[in-house]
């Protein structure tokens, strides 16, 4: 990027040229839930900006990262430009840039342990889908219910932008909720290798037991179980909860399982306030046909991404992806990760005839 400086009194005959240069080698740490794609999200931007990267895939899913390494080994990239290190957290190397995707406690502990490093954290979410009063036809509500059911349960709910909270205007709530319950009950649970399966098991039985405990806590506190609520080994049935009290874990933490809650609100402002009543702010979906409401949502919602006319579970690699509040710092997406891995360096040319 070139910029003339002669608008400043001391800048006559000067031209600034700004380029980006790598901050230094990157430690990329990927989670289990998208074990190949999120490894690629770390590696590709590093290769693009010419900085070395050490990739640490999740201990539960190291093979995808190693497969990516095998593919990279077939290229002509110089020695040392990348490494795959599938080892425990106690052996992580110290590098000037950390790019982490995973849980909040681990991410913030990394930031605390490396206060002078450049750190990008893509952490958890508590994804909300808002259904406003104008999204009211039968076709509208059918579509919202189907999208909500699909994306509260895809990946077994193990996605940071899965639908965990449904916030519906009082004028559509009573018609919408039965449609959501029916769509959730139509989700087929089983073996992920079976094409008929919609919802597979969680990553481990311990993960399913945690989901079970959180749902049981909510029900014991007064939440109404509309469907689901059963565990079979590492599989948890797609679940819908209503009348969930504030303060229980399924209301305020990231459940990372096939569970959603439904809440009735009165009006747009109350719905947006309910979205923001969370320590997380990754993405939110707003079902509305009103373009002005879309822009009001974009201004009001304290999240990294607002998806209009759909659930919060959409992302594309060319868009900035990341959150606010406890959902992290920095942005992913190829261009935005490249910016995170680099810094601006200016060169000023002097005594030019401009």
């Amino acid at each position: 990027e070139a910029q003339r400086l002669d608008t400043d009194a001391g800048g006559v005959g000067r031209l600034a040229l700004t380029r980006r240069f790598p901050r230094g080698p990157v430690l990329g740490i990927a989670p289990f839930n998208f074990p190949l794609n999120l490894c690629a999200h770390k590696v590709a931007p590093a290769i693009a900006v010419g900085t070395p990267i050490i990739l640490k895939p999740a201990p539960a899913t190291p093979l995808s990262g190693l497969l990516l390494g095998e593919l990279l080994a077939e290229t002509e990239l110089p020695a040392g430009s990348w490494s795959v290190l599938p080892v425990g957290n106690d052996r992580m190397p110290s590098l000037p840039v950390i790019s982490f995707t995973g849980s909040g406690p681990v991410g913030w502990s990394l930031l605390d342990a490396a206060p002078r490093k450049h750190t990008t954290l893509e952490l958890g979410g508590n994804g909300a889908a808002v259904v406003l009063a104008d999204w009211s036809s039968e076709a509208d509500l059918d579509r919202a219910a189907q999208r909500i059911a699909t994306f509260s349960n895809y990946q077994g709910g193990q996605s940071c932008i899965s639908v965990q909270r449904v916030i519906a205007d009082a004028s559509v709530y009573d018609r919408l909720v039965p449609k959501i319950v029916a769509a959730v009950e139509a989700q087929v649970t089983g073996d992920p290798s079976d094409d008929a399966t919609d919802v597979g098991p969680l990553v481990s039985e311990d993960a399913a037991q945690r989901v079970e405990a959180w749902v049981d806590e909510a029900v014991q506190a007064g939440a109404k179980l509309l469907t689901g609520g059963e565990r079979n080994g590492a599989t948890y049935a797609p679940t819908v909860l209503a009348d969930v009290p504030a303060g229980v874990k399924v209301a305020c933490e990231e459940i990372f399982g096939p569970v959603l809650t439904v809440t009735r609100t009165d009006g747009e402002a109350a719905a947006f306030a309910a979205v923001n009543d969370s320590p997380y702010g990754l993405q939110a979906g707003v079902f509305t046909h009103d373009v002005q409401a879309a822009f009001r949502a974009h201004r009001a919602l304290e999240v990294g991404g607002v998806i209009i006319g759909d659930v919060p579970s959409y992302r594309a690699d060319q868009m900035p992806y990341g959150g606010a509040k406890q959902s992290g710092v920095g942005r992913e997406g190829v261009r935005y990760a490249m910016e995170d891995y680099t810094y601006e360096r200016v060169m000023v040319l002097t005594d030019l005839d401009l």
Side-chain angles (χ1 to χ4, degrees):
E1 179 184 352
Q3 180 184 13
R4 290 180 61 156
L5 301 178
D6 52 5
T7 53
D8 180 82
V12 176
R14 294 182 188 267
L15 183 74
L17 179 66
T18 304
R19 298 169 64 192
R20 301 191 71 90
F21 291 86
R23 297 177 184 274
V26 176
L27 172 61
I29 306 172
F32 73 82
N33 55 330
F34 293 90
L36 178 60
N37 192 39
L38 294 182
C39 285
H41 278 206
K42 307 299 182 188
V43 173
I47 292 173
V49 301
T51 193
I53 182 167
I54 295 178
L55 172 68
K56 182 189 175 300
T61 55
L63 299 182
S64 298
L66 290 168
L67 176 61
L68 180 61
E70 288 182 4
L71 295 174
L72 290 172
E74 297 176 5
T75 71
E76 296 180 358
L77 290 169
S81 60
W82 57 270
S83 301
V84 180
L85 190 66
V87 297
N89 292 337
D90 57 337
R91 293 182 56 195
M92 289 191 298
S94 177
L95 298 177
V97 180
I98 299 173
S99 178
F100 172 86
T101 302
S103 70
V106 175
W108 294 119
S109 70
L110 282 172
L111 187 65
D112 292 341
R116 292 179 179 86
K117 298 180 185 294
H118 183 82
T119 305
T120 298
L121 303 177
E122 197 278 279
L123 306 178
N126 190 343
V130 175
V131 183
L132 294 181
D134 71 285
W135 196 273
S136 58
S137 72
E138 290 301 308
D140 283 343
L141 297 180
D142 285 342
R143 171 173 164 75
Q146 187 59 57
R147 298 295 286 175
I148 287 165
T150 298
F151 288 97
S152 65
N153 297 296
Y154 81 126
Q155 302 289 125
Q158 297 168 122
S159 167
C160 12
I161 47 177
S162 68
V163 180
Q164 183 171 329
R165 298 181 292 155
V166 176
I167 298 164
D169 190 84
S171 64
V172 299
Y173 181 91
D174 289 333
R175 289 191 295 139
L176 175 64
V177 170
K179 292 177 183 290
I180 291 174
V181 171
V184 167
E185 290 177 340
Q187 299 285 301
V188 177
T189 302
D191 184 341
S193 64
D194 186 341
D195 289 343
T197 297
D198 298 307
V199 186
L202 276 69
V203 68
S204 66
E205 188 164 351
D206 285 347
Q209 288 173 342
R210 179 190 54 76
V211 171
E212 179 181 42
W214 286 21
V215 172
D216 290 348
E217 176 200 39
V219 171
Q220 290 166 10
K224 184 178 179 181
L225 181 66
L226 302 184
T227 190
E230 298 177 353
R231 181 179 65 84
N232 180 12
T235 297
Y236 196 81
T239 297
V240 181
L241 296 168
D243 304 325
V244 176
V248 299
K249 292 184 180 69
V250 298
C252 55
E253 296 296 331
E254 180 182 40
I255 194 161
F256 225 59
V259 178
L260 67 87
T261 68
V262 290
T263 302
R264 182 196 310 261
T265 55
D266 189 7
E268 177 187 298
F272 293 167
V275 174
N276 290 338
D277 186 19
S278 168
Y280 297 101
L282 190 49
Q283 292 198 163
V286 180
F287 288 92
T288 183
H289 298 291
D290 183 347
V291 69
Q292 295 291 349
F295 277 88
R296 288 193 294 269
H298 196 213
R299 288 194 298 270
L301 297 179
E302 299 166 352
V303 295
V306 179
I307 314 301
I308 302 299
D310 206 353
V311 292
S313 315
Y314 175 80
R315 70 174 293 189
D317 287 334
Q318 63 266 39
M319 70 186 237
Y321 178 74
K325 300 189 287 189
Q326 294 300 306
S327 288
V329 293
R331 291 293 180 267
E332 291 204 323
V334 178
R335 168 188 164 188
Y336 301 92
M338 290 169 65
E339 291 178 355
D340 249 342
Y341 290 174
T342 57
Y343 68 97
E344 291 177 316
R345 185 186 299 170
V346 64
M347 176 174 68
V348 177
L349 303 171
T350 305
D351 292 334
L352 299 179
D353 184 4
L354 299 174

